[in-house]
């Protein structure tokens, strides 16, 4: 066995971490209008006045969190200079789908480790009493940042309770403001009217970056991340163009640049080239596809599995009814009750929307009528790899036996016999 050792390598990077999403640059580029609106909305804090409730919305990767971190860092510094008592409590709401869960997590953020409360077993009124008491103990101005607040769903009562806590007499010593950050453009409109009037006191929309703005973001980070001369001409422009295609997502553009840098470093290349960018993009797309398929519900995966077996047999594009028949076979093998053909058509539409498959509307005239047919958008092996857990549970269909046997789709110790035999 070859000996392996690790040695530092700074041939390309001087600060790779500056390309990560949790890095806050010294200045923000491409978001001047949003920063000005945000600054105005935060001004009451430095004046020692009741803070505004602020709602930020826009797609993933458009700078909402980065701008928030940047401005709040500056606000903390200025508050200290002007002797303003300011506390900031930040909570990412991913995985928290109720006001109860958010309230408990906020209480525990405000308490020392030895005074944490359990996440279940408390009536809701008691949790709110804990929260009001803890906020009053802190006093001064408290900004509560709720990132990905759209995870809360329909139970949005806390977004009403906190902004009204002082006027309702629940707290006396603290002035509390909420900063809600949402990736769901429709979340604001789906809030109850009373919550919308409180939480969305100041609303700021973050539009997608265009290619020029993305290039400015990448240039700023690249100057920190890479040594001078480490990037070939056109690399930043290519990453920015791909990012613009991905709904103006700066996070994806930065991930792409870092991925290209990692490939170049692994190959001991003298510089990062356009070829490295293209290969990094292919790898990132593959990872996104794998994650997207793995997150599908079982019946959605079974529909995709059915289509994959048809593609392995050279029977695609396949009509919806043909996919449904194969899906029913797989359900029987998995000892699952099949969904209706209409529901399977919905699943196929979902898969097409996620760019996992390609669906086309066909019209064969009076003889054949109108119908939709479907095929995989990605290579068969990648799709099957993403469904390896499902394949291990229900077995390997005879049509994909050879594909599985020649790859690492699933361990070869699993049953490779055709389930239909």
């Amino acid at each position: 066995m070859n000996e392996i050792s690790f040695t530092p390598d700074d041939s390309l990077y001087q600060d790779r971490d500056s390309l990560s999403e949790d890095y806050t640059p010294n200045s923000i580029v491409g978001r001047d209008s949003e920063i000005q609106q945000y600054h105005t909305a935060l001004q009451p804090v430095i004046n020692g006045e009741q803070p505004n409730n602020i709602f930020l919305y826009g797609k993933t990767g458009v700078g909402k969190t980065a701008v928030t971190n940047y401005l709040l860092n500056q606000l903390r510094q200025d508050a200290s200079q002007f002797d303003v008592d300011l506390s900031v409590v930040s909570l990412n709401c991913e995985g928290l789908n109720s006001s109860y869960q958010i309230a408990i997590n906020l209480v525990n953020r405000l308490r020392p480790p030895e005074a944490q409360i359990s996440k279940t077993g408390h009536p809701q009124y008691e949790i709110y009493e804990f929260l009001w008491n803890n906020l009053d103990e802190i006093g001064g101005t408290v900004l509560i940042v709720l990132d990905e607040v759209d995870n809360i769903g329909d139970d949005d009562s806390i977004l009403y309770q906190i902004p009204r806590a002082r006027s309702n007499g629940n707290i006396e010593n603290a002035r509390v403001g909420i900063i809600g950050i949402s990736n769901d453009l429709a979340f604001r409109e789906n809030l109850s009217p009373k919550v919308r009037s409180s939480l969305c006191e100041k609303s700021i929309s973050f539009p997608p970056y265009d290619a020029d703005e993305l290039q400015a973001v990448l240039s700023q980070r690249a100057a920190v991340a890479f040594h001078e001369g480490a990037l070939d001409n056109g690399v930043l422009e290519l990453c920015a163009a791909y990012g613009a295609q991905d709904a103006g997502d700066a996070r994806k553009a930065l991930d792409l640049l870092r991925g290209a840098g990692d490939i170049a470093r692994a190959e001991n290349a003298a510089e990062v080239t356009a070829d490295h960018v293209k290969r990094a993009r292919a790898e990132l797309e593959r990872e996104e596809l794998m994650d997207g398929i793995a997150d599908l519900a079982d019946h959605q995966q079974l529909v995709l599995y059915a289509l994959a077996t048809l593609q392995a047999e050279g029977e695609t594009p396949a009509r919806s009814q043909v996919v449904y028949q194969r899906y029913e076979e797989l359900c029987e093998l998995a000892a699952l009750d099949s969904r209706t053909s209409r529901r399977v058509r919905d699943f196929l539409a979902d898969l097409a929307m996620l760019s996992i498959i390609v669906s086309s509307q066909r019209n064969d005239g009076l003889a054949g009528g109108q119908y939709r047919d479907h095929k995989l958008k990605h290579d068969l092996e990648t799709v099957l790899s993403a469904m390896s857990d499902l394949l291990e549970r229900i077995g390997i269909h005879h049509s994909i036996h050879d594909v599985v046997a020649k790859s690492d789709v699933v361990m070869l110790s699993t049953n490779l016999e055709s389930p239909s035999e």
Side-chain angles (χ1 to χ4, degrees), residues 269-284:
E271 59 184 6
V272 183
T273 67
D275 179 65
H276 294 131
V277 173
K278 292 173 183 176
R279 287 156 57 193
R281 179 168 171 79
E283 180 59 29
L284 287 173

Side-chain angles (χ1 to χ4, degrees), residues 270-408:
E271 59 184 6
V272 183
T273 67
D275 179 65
H276 294 131
V277 173
K278 292 173 183 176
R279 287 156 57 193
R281 179 168 171 79
E283 180 59 29
L284 287 173
E285 287 180 339
R286 183 179 185 276
E287 291 175 2
E288 289 179 0
L289 172 68
M290 297 281 284
D291 291 342
I293 293 175
D295 288 341
L296 295 172
D298 276 355
H299 281 278
Q300 290 174 312
Q301 285 200 25
L302 279 166
V303 171
L304 182 59
Y305 188 9
L307 185 59
T309 63
L310 292 168
Q311 186 138 327
E313 295 171 354
E315 297 298 328
T316 55
R319 293 193 183 197
S320 302
Q321 186 58 32
V322 175
V323 177
Y324 181 69
Q325 291 169 354
R326 180 60 55 84
Y327 158 79
E328 284 190 308
E329 295 174 16
L330 294 174
C331 284
E332 184 177 352
L333 296 167
L336 293 172
D337 294 332
S338 61
R339 300 292 190 260
T340 64
S341 59
R342 180 175 180 177
R343 192 74 183 104
V344 168
R345 287 196 296 272
D346 290 340
F347 291 153
L348 287 166
D350 292 340
L351 295 172
M353 184 178 65
L354 293 169
S355 294
I356 297 172
I357 69 173
V358 176
S359 298
S360 303
Q361 183 73 39
R362 304 295 183 190
N363 189 343
D364 287 348
L366 294 176
Q370 292 185 347
Y371 60 91
R372 298 190 72 83
D373 60 23
H374 316 274
K375 63 180 180 180
L376 300 182
K377 188 173 182 178
H378 305 271
D379 66 272
L380 180 61
E381 184 175 322
T382 298
V383 171
L384 294 174
S385 294
M387 294 192 293
S388 58
D389 288 345
L390 180 76
L391 269 60
E392 286 192 73
R393 292 204 309 270
I394 73 171
I396 309 303
H397 192 269
H398 66 88
S399 62
I400 61 169
H401 183 285
D402 291 343
V403 176
V404 172
K406 294 176 182 178
S407 70
D408 60 354

Side-chain angles (χ1 to χ4, degrees), residues 149-183:
V149 67
D150 42 276
N151 283 281
I152 197 173
D154 296 332
D155 180 14
D156 58 10
S157 62
I158 194 169
L159 304 180
Y160 177 78
Q161 293 287 344
I162 292 178
R164 301 287 180 178
R166 188 177 178 88
S167 62
N168 289 340
N170 295 316
I171 56 176
E172 298 178 359
N173 303 325
R175 293 182 295 272
V176 183
I178 288 183
I179 298 175
I181 305 175
S182 173
N183 298 329

